[in-house]
Amino acid sequence: MEPIDPSKAYRLLESGPIVLVTTAQDGKPNVMTMGFHMVMRHSPPLIGCVIGAWDHSHKALVATRECVIAIPGADLARKVVDIGNCSGDDADKFARFRLTAQPAREVAAPLIGECLANIECRIVDDSLAGKYDLFILEPVAISLNRTRRERRTLHHNGDGTFCVDGRVIDLRERMILWKQFQVAL
Ligand SMILES: Cc1cc2nc3c(=O)[nH]c(=O)nc-3n(C[C@H](O)[C@H](O)[C@H](O)COP(=O)(O)O)c2cc1C
């Protein structure tokens, strides 16, 4: 085993898929790229997200307490990186990246028409936002887009390189303690 710096843990653990986060403040929609997220609980469903204080999205999320987590397919890879390399402070990213903002059901932040899925979320706990930029979100609605031809998602290695979904290994018959989670999307 070769030792590496503990600060590199995210390079090994940063889970996918890379996602886009939309917000809308004062009627202005915005979108950012996010890799630092994790599912935390099944019921009620909870998702932890790190959205840095330097991001326009952070201010919009704090002000509105809601957002949409959109899952892009691999066909959007270049846009995903570019969206995470500019700020809504300076640009209308929906126009710049030709994204289709669609009305959400439960929140003011828009869905992204080009994404595979859109998860509408509300903040349930921001007690660690000041310390770690960590927001605990509860999904309140999900919309799936089954029309996209590209179904593979992107998984960030933390350095601008990405893995693309590969072969599915089906081990459901061994999930003897967790049969309740074997439900189709
Ligand atoms: C691949 C990738 C992953 C990123 N992951 C995160 C993240 O998890 N959290 C975060 O705060 N910023 C992350 N960023 C940076 C934001 O997307 C970036 O600061 C963006 O410009 C913020 O946009 P905004 O100012 O319009 O909110 C990531 C950027 C890229 C390219």
Side-chain angles (χ1 to χ4, degrees), residues 14 18-19 21 23 30-37 49-59 80-89 91 93 133 156 160 162:
E14 185 174 342
I18 197 81
V19 299
V21 178
T23 46
N30 186 44
V31 56
M32 67 169 278
T33 304
M34 181 177 72
F36 282 17
H37 59 81
C49 293
V50 176
I51 296 182
W54 55 89
D55 292 327
H56 178 94
S57 305
H58 181 108
K59 292 161 216 134
V80 164
V81 174
D82 293 347
I83 287 165
N85 279 274
C86 61
S87 176
D89 285 338
K93 292 200 238 179
D133 298 321
H156 191 209
F162 296 81

Side-chain angles (χ1 to χ4, degrees), residues 143-154:
S143 304
L144 296 182
N145 182 350
R146 299 191 191 273
T147 66
R148 301 294 292 180
R149 183 173 295 218
E150 176 59 87
R151 308 302 307 171
R152 298 171 303 165
T153 52
L154 292 161

Side-chain angles (χ1 to χ4, degrees), residues 44-134:
L46 294 179
I47 302 169
C49 293
V50 176
I51 296 182
W54 55 89
D55 292 327
H56 178 94
S57 305
H58 181 108
K59 292 161 216 134
L61 181 57
V62 167
T64 63
R65 304 192 66 78
E66 54 187 39
C67 66
V68 171
I69 298 174
I71 320 264
D75 52 331
L76 298 184
R78 286 172 180 77
K79 284 190 189 189
V80 164
V81 174
D82 293 347
I83 287 165
N85 279 274
C86 61
S87 176
D89 285 338
D90 321 309
D92 175 349
K93 292 200 238 179
F94 272 86
R96 180 184 287 186
F97 298 107
R98 279 189 239 116
L99 297 173
T100 310
Q102 296 183 351
R105 278 178 282 162
E106 300 289 338
V107 302
L111 312 184
I112 301 177
E114 290 75 15
C115 282
L116 297 170
N118 285 271
I119 308 170
E120 299 172 37
C121 297
R122 288 210 181 89
I123 294 179
V124 292
D125 187 350
D126 60 359
S127 57
L128 290 174
K131 197 171 182 185
Y132 297 116
D133 298 321
L134 175 64

